[in-house]
Amino acid sequence: GAVVSQHPSWVICKSGTSVKIECRSLDFQATTMFWYRQFPKQSLMLMATSNEGSKATYEQGVEKDKFLINHASLTLSTLTVTSAHPEDSSFYICSARTTGAGSYEQYFGPGTRLTVT
Amino acid sequence: KQEVTQIPAALSVPEGENLVLNCSFTDSAIYNLQWFRQDPGKGLTSLLLIQSSQREQTSGRLNASLDKSSGRSTLYIAASQPGDSATYLCAVNGLSNFGNEKLTFGTGTRLTIIP
């Protein structure tokens, strides 16, 4: 089946620093990748949608200058949290969709837990 | 704006019982609906995906139904086991305001199976 990986699985950083999270589709090409955020005891909220080779589309309320998304290839998207603050501490999950028409099924990565101290 | 609600928020049942989890959504213009399982501190495991043209899907002890016109889906778990304990998320795939597809997640049902 389609596998999506994330790196790192967890990261602790100091307030004011930047953190990069990678999302890779391991055995398929993904023209579209999605980034979600999940706060404790809450559900997943879509942050942005990224298409390979073009700018990401951000959901309302998500600062694009703070959460930089790059989708430079069909197998890799990165999310950079710039000038992180404690309120950015969360569980970040990416998903990827295969190319071509069909089921629109998204395959999810295992998530990255970010703690900002 | 699509809104997805899951009831109940938490459920505890003895091992061996059959149970039903409910999901409702407000906008019936969807591509598909998916049920996921999430263990504490972990990512998502996809359980079942129902296309908008389908009425139900089955996988092992799990059966999911979809009634698009009424905006409802149910996840039926037969002969529950302690290993089924997790949070179950329902997600609806439709169009966002930008014309992209968008998965909207429900609030989840935390299931505990009592041995």
Side-chain angles (χ1 to χ4, degrees):
Chain A
V3 179
V4 176
S5 70
Q6 280 184 243
H7 179 80
S9 56
W10 60 271
V11 57
I12 301 173
C13 71
K14 292 188 176 181
S15 186
T17 61
S18 295
V19 174
K20 180 185 285 188
I21 302 170
E22 292 186 350
C23 176
R24 294 182 184 271
S25 56
L26 297 185
D27 52 2
F28 65 98
Q29 293 185 325
T31 52
T32 306
M33 289 187 170
F34 306 83
W35 287 94
Y36 296 84
R37 181 168 53 183
Q38 185 179 34
F39 291 109
K41 299 190 185 299
Q42 296 186 25
S43 195
L44 279 77
M45 297 294 291
L46 179 66
M47 298 175 66
T49 302
S50 75
N51 292 299
E52 185 262 339
S54 62
K55 291 184 179 180
T57 302
Y58 290 80
E59 293 296 301
Q60 192 172 5
V62 178
E63 300 174 57
K64 59 179 150 184
D65 293 332
K66 180 169 183 64
F67 299 99
L68 302 179
I69 292 172
N70 184 280
H71 190 169
S73 78
L74 285 172
T75 58
L76 173 65
S77 176
T78 60
L79 167 68
T80 302
V81 183
T82 63
S83 187
H85 288 97
E87 57 265 31
D88 298 323
S89 298
S90 187
F91 193 50
Y92 292 87
I93 304 178
C94 73
S95 71
R97 185 164 74 79
T98 56
T99 57
S103 67
Y104 293 97
E105 183 170 4
Q106 295 180 26
Y107 301 95
F108 283 79
T112 297
R113 184 161 304 283
L114 170 64
T115 301
V116 185
T117 60
Chain B
K1 178 187 172 185
Q2 180 74 270
E3 293 183 5
V4 182
T5 304
Q6 291 184 245
I7 295 174
L11 180 66
S12 293
V13 299
E15 179 178 1
E17 284 198 3
N18 304 324
L19 58 100
V20 175
L21 307 181
N22 296 292
C23 172
S24 62
F25 49 96
T26 55
D27 186 351
S28 62
I30 65 172
Y31 294 121
N32 57 53
L33 182 145
Q34 217 166 341
W35 283 92
F36 295 89
R37 166 190 175 133
Q38 185 175 32
D39 292 288
K42 302 292 185 182
L44 304 181
T45 300
S46 179
L47 299 173
L48 289 165
L49 180 147
I50 310 177
Q51 300 293 350
S52 62
S53 58
Q54 297 175 324
R55 299 283 291 185
E56 67 177 329
Q57 280 287 334
T58 298
S59 176
R61 294 183 293 109
L62 306 180
N63 176 276
S65 69
L66 173 64
D67 184 341
K68 200 173 70 163
S69 60
S70 67
R72 295 183 182 186
S73 175
T74 61
L75 178 67
Y76 175 83
I77 302 177
S80 59
Q81 302 171 358
D84 294 332
S85 298
T87 295
Y88 289 79
L89 296 169
C90 163
V92 174
N93 197 352
L95 272 181
S96 72
N97 292 334
F98 302 108
N100 298 324
E101 65 181 277
K102 178 179 178 178
L103 260 184
T104 303
F105 281 82
T107 45
T109 294
R110 188 181 309 162
L111 176 64
T112 303
I113 306 300
I114 305 164

